[in-house]
Every structure is written in C-alpha cells, then in structure tokens.
Amino acid sequence: RHKVGSIVSNEVCVCPCVCVCFQALRDWVAIESDSSNMLKRPDLHRMMEMVAQKLRPMGGNVELVDIGEQELPNGQTIALPKVVTAQFGNDPNKHTVCVYGHVDVQPAKLEDGWATDPYNLTDIKGNLYGRGASDNKAPVLAWIHAVEAYQALNMELPVNVKFVIEGMEETGSNGLDAMILAQRDTFFSDVDYIIISDCGWLSRRPALTYGTRGNCYFYAEVEGPKQDLHSGVYGGTVIEPMTDLIGILDTLISPSGKILIPGIREAVAPLSDEEWKMYQDIQFDLDNYKNKIGVNQLMYSNKVDLLAHMWRYPTVSIHGIEGAFSDPGTKTVIPAKVIAKFSIRQVPNMDPALVKKQVTDYLHLVFAKRKSPNKLKVTMVIGAKPWLADTQHPLYEAGKAAVKRVFDVDPDLIREGGTIPIARTFQDVTRKSIIMMPIGGFDDGLHSQNEKISRFGKNLNLRAHSVLISLNQPCPSTKMILVTI
C-alpha cells in the first residue's frame, strides 16, 4: 500500500498510494458526523465504528469506550458516541506518545454557500474540499498513516503510540473529561507526551501552538405569549419577546468590542513584555488577513493588538436566534419564544463557573430594568477552560527542531483563538506534557464554507505530516515520519 521514497538515517519518507489514502479520507468525509444535530447521532455512531475499523487491521489493542449519555435541554437523554482508544506497542523501555483527535464536524449545507457538496470530498487543483477535511479528519488519518508507514516498512516504532479519538469535540467533548479521569491510572498512566493536531498555521510559515481560548456558550431564552401572533392583529398590544431579546443582547458588548459584563475583563491575565515581543516577531500580514475574510476594516489596526485580541483576550460573539423567522420571503409574525445563542471565549485567568454566574446575573439585572412581563431563562451549555503550555519545555524544543529539519525555518509560536476543550483536561488530570502540532493550513476555512486541506506542496509535509515522537532520552530528540494523507 506504500511506495517508499527514501530512508535516510532516522528519517523516513513515505508516499502512500494516493488512491487508497484519498479514498480513506473520502469515506470519512462522507459521514455527516455533526455532533450538534441530534438527528445525526446515528451517523456519529457510524463514524466512530469506522475509526475503529481503520485501526483494527493494524493490530494493537483497539477499544470502543462507552462514555454514557447526554442530557438534552428538554430533559431527554441520548447515547454519546463511543470514544476510540488504541495502543501500538507497550515496551516499558520506550516513551509513550498519546495522539488525540476528533472526527465530529461543524454543520454544513450546500446552500450555506459551498461550491461543492460538503460531504463529497472534491479535489480541485490539489485542494481537498469537504466538511472535516482539515478539522479534524485528515489530521487524524495522517497520524494513523504514520503508524501504518512503520508497519509497511517492517520498522519497529521508536515509541509506544496511543490514540484517543472522540466524536463530541465540536460541542464541548461531552463525557470525555469523565473518561480521562476514570482511566488516568490505567490507559494514561504510562503516557509521557500528548500530541494534538486540531489546529492550523497562522501564515505560510510553519507554526507550533502553545495556547487556546476556552469557551462559555449560552442560551438566552425570552418567552411571552402562549403561541406566535399575527403582527397586524396583535402588534402594538403586546410586549414582544424578540424586542426584549434584542434589547438585552445589545448590552453585552460595545461597538468598539468592549465587553460590558462586569467582572469579565478584570479577570484577564495582563499582557507581559515577553509576550508582546513574541507577537511582534510572528509572521502576520493584516492586509492579507482582511482580504482573506473579505472586510475592509478590522477592530484593531496593528498586528500585536489584533493577535492579542484574537488569542489572549475574551470576546463576545452572537451566533443566532432560534425561533425567529429566517426563511426566504416574508412572514408577519410575532414569535412567542426566541432563544439567542452567544458565546464568550475564555482566557487565563477566567473561570467558566464564575463567568456563568456573571452573565446570568447581569442579563437578569438588565432584563429587570425593562419591566417586561415576559420570562427570561439563561443557560450555559458549554463551559470549556483555556489551555496554555510552557514553550520552554523540552517537548516544544523538540517540536521546533522537527519543523526546522523539514522546512529549514524556525516555526512561529502561536496561540489559537478557538477552543479545544480537552487540552485543559489532559493538562489538569494527567499532568502530562502537551504539544499542539498544526497540520491544517492558514487558509483551510475551518468551520466555514469550502473547508479544505492541501494535497500537494512542500508545506503538506508537515501538515500531513511531520510527526514528533519522543525517544528515550531526558531531553527528547526527534524523528520525522513524512506521511501524506
């Protein structure tokens, strides 16, 4: 299945059969594993089975771990997708590397603005388009193919390799925290390092990620009449839930981006001089950034301020309103109940439990001032903490060496504005060292229309990928396994 390009000392370059690897990713992308849609839960279960089926022929110990049920807002419960764990090698004289990934995806529909069917992997000029192509199905497959490459070459793995692959990352990794805690002294007991590739580069320069923001996701529900009303018949006689909801949402953030909820900004760790200099040295072009996202003005006009507010300051984003009329055409209706969905990205030293109280108390205070007869209910459905690593740790020194060897440049050390909930759990529960090694590119369009991952080009070597594995030395050295997906 693999065509060997070259083997030079401790570097292995492998080019798998393009058809086989493309087909594996195509099969995975075809599964609509949307963890936010309860109607897609059977697809998510099928996705986890497919991951296990991919790993089983490789040998090792592969398990589907039951992590229980998810309670829905209406009080009903639904089975969570099982977590796939796998282990290849158990030599006590070797270090053990654990690779984390996820195979659930964000929602996607052709009518959202995709140029191709989001669940039909499409190759256009060397870019593979499809939901989950970069986040996170291709990176997971790349790590699996790294182990397959050693097996195909009849080479012994220089470390023991473990996998933890879940199906609920996009909605907060429900159930995974408890599983990690339950298996801390078993599955994770011999793990030395944890590697996550659920991230991307910032620019065309390779990068290593050392921090992510957390996320507190809220529902704010305003309920009034017992049913929807005709705006011509009842407009002007009732206090409309939508008007109340828009009113309180307007008090969350100022036009300049200042969060107005008391206590949020005060909790943020100050920006140090060392951190400011690190941001100053990062390769990042504001004009290219504006052109990529299609805007003519950004919130901040210099690189350091923009990166800081992208990575290490909290933000409020309003995502949508459930119950409001949003279909094409017109409908003269007064919705009886509307639910706003918004989130606050978390940074050190914020605590989601405290943020929940701050937001709930603030919105109820604002709502009370309106003297509305309608009812307000505030619920926090995701409370993920931020994660931050020590860039001076030997694991990051080894990561820098890996990038330097493949690209002949030093990587940018970056943070992610997004959230990888499990990173903080791994850090707190296992006390293991964690590194994030991006495989996705800066223009892959994660969570957006036309998500893709590049198939060819020099930078694919790291994205698909330059695998860091720690050898049995006090300060980890590196080996590269260059495996295309």
Side-chain angles (χ1 to χ4, degrees):
R1 293 177 59 183
H2 298 84
K3 180 171 64 178
V4 179
S6 63
I7 303 175
V8 182
S9 63
N10 67 336
E11 182 173 310
V12 181
C13 295
V14 179
C15 294
C17 168
V18 172
C19 294
V20 170
C21 298
F22 178 82
Q23 188 60 46
L25 182 57
R26 177 189 288 276
D27 291 343
W28 281 26
V29 167
I31 306 296
E32 298 185 31
S33 49
D34 175 1
S35 54
S36 69
N37 187 341
M38 299 305 110
L39 299 178
K40 299 292 184 183
R41 191 53 56 90
D43 295 289
L44 201 48
H45 291 312
R46 186 157 60 98
M47 184 71 246
M48 304 317 298
E49 288 285 351
M50 185 173 287
V51 173
Q53 290 169 9
K54 174 71 176 173
L55 289 163
R56 286 188 184 113
M58 297 164 55
N61 182 20
V62 180
E63 294 186 15
L64 281 161
V65 181
D66 190 336
I67 56 172
E69 295 184 328
Q70 175 184 3
E71 184 175 350
L72 305 180
N74 62 8
Q76 295 181 340
T77 58
I78 187 172
L80 286 164
K82 295 179 180 179
V83 173
V84 177
T85 64
Q87 178 174 353
F88 299 90
N90 57 3
D91 188 338
N93 296 314
K94 296 179 180 178
H95 280 155
T96 298
V97 174
C98 181
V99 176
Y100 162 84
H102 70 90
V103 289
D104 62 316
V105 299
Q106 286 281 310
K109 295 186 293 185
L110 184 62
E111 54 266 33
D112 290 339
W114 282 73
T116 60
D117 181 349
Y119 296 105
N120 180 21
L121 190 69
T122 305
D123 187 346
I124 302 176
K125 296 181 180 179
N127 289 322
L128 305 178
Y129 291 89
R131 178 55 91 217
S134 184
D135 182 17
N136 184 236
K137 292 180 179 181
V140 170
L141 277 169
W143 283 100
I144 293 173
H145 290 150
V147 175
E148 281 188 316
Y150 269 100
Q151 294 177 341
L153 294 168
N154 293 317
M155 295 177 64
E156 182 181 351
L157 283 168
V159 294
N160 305 312
V161 179
K162 291 187 174 184
F163 288 96
V164 174
I165 302 170
E166 66 155 323
M168 291 294 291
E169 190 274 343
E170 298 291 1
T171 54
S173 293
N174 311 57
L176 191 57
D177 285 13
M179 191 215 86
I180 292 172
L181 183 62
Q183 299 204 19
R184 177 182 56 189
D185 299 324
T186 52
F187 183 84
F188 294 101
S189 63
D190 60 347
V191 170
D192 297 294
Y193 307 112
I194 296 172
I195 304 178
I196 299 173
S197 291
D198 188 15
C199 44
W201 296 1
L202 180 66
S203 65
R204 296 190 182 278
R205 181 188 290 179
L208 296 176
T209 303
Y210 68 95
T212 62
R213 291 193 291 190
N215 193 21
C216 288
Y217 199 107
F218 291 89
Y219 293 166
E221 174 186 305
V222 178
E223 185 174 6
K226 64 180 181 180
Q227 63 189 37
D228 292 353
L229 301 175
H230 189 300
S231 66
V233 176
Y234 296 98
T237 69
V238 297
I239 298 174
E240 301 182 13
M242 181 73 81
T243 304
D244 279 340
L245 186 62
I246 297 298
I248 64 173
L249 290 178
D250 190 46
T251 68
L252 293 175
I253 189 168
S254 75
S256 63
K258 179 182 177 181
I259 296 175
L260 303 176
I261 305 163
I264 297 292
R265 292 181 295 112
E266 291 79 359
V268 179
L271 180 69
S272 67
D273 292 341
E274 180 182 358
E275 192 176 359
W276 185 94
K277 186 180 186 308
M278 185 183 295
Y279 289 2
Q280 187 66 43
D281 293 340
I282 288 172
Q283 184 181 101
F284 182 77
D285 187 289
L286 266 70
D287 288 333
N288 286 342
Y289 183 76
K290 285 193 294 185
N291 291 336
K292 185 181 77 170
I293 60 179
V295 299
N296 55 28
Q297 181 180 332
L298 297 168
M299 194 75 80
Y300 304 93
S301 58
N302 70 79
K303 178 173 70 174
V304 173
D305 281 344
L306 193 73
L307 292 177
H309 284 86
M310 186 190 304
W311 292 343
R312 57 101 60 226
Y313 288 120
T315 56
V316 170
S317 296
I318 299 172
H319 307 295
I321 298 178
E322 182 181 337
F325 174 65
S326 59
D327 292 336
T330 62
K331 184 179 182 183
T332 53
V333 64
I334 298 173
K337 181 172 73 174
V338 283
I339 305 170
K341 301 180 181 183
F342 67 93
S343 66
I344 303 177
R345 294 289 173 173
Q346 307 290 287
V347 300
N349 299 313
M350 296 172 70
D351 177 13
L354 179 57
V355 170
K356 176 183 178 180
K357 183 178 187 305
Q358 290 169 332
V359 171
T360 302
D361 290 349
Y362 175 70
L363 286 182
H364 277 288
L365 178 64
V366 170
F367 189 75
K369 291 180 180 179
R370 299 181 65 84
K371 300 186 184 304
S372 172
N374 297 323
K375 292 175 287 187
L376 171 67
K377 178 182 178 183
V378 180
T379 308
M380 188 175 82
V381 294
I382 296 176
K385 294 180 179 180
W387 166 77
L388 198 62
D390 177 9
T391 58
Q392 304 303 313
H393 189 279
L395 189 56
Y396 274 83
E397 294 302 318
K400 295 173 194 176
V403 173
K404 180 76 171 179
R405 182 169 185 176
V406 174
F407 293 95
D408 198 28
V409 296
D410 293 319
D412 279 333
L413 295 177
I414 66 174
R415 289 162 75 161
E416 282 273 347
T419 303
I420 302 175
I422 209 60
R424 181 62 180 267
T425 301
F426 278 134
Q427 180 175 281
D428 291 346
V429 175
T430 70
R431 302 294 179 182
K432 309 298 183 181
S433 300
I434 303 169
I435 188 171
M436 289 193 182
M437 299 191 70
I439 291 177
F442 74 98
D443 58 350
D444 280 357
L446 280 65
H447 290 205
S448 186
Q449 298 94 334
N450 304 316
E451 178 185 349
K452 59 87 179 170
I453 194 163
S454 295
R455 186 172 187 173
F456 304 113
K458 181 180 177 182
N459 63 343
L460 180 61
N461 285 341
L462 184 61
R463 284 212 303 272
H465 60 153
S466 168
V467 179
L468 167 67
I469 48 182
S470 306
L471 299 179
N472 290 299
Q473 299 174 4
C475 179
S477 60
T478 63
K479 283 195 176 185
M480 312 305 152
I481 310 172
L482 305 183
V483 183
T484 61
I485 58 171

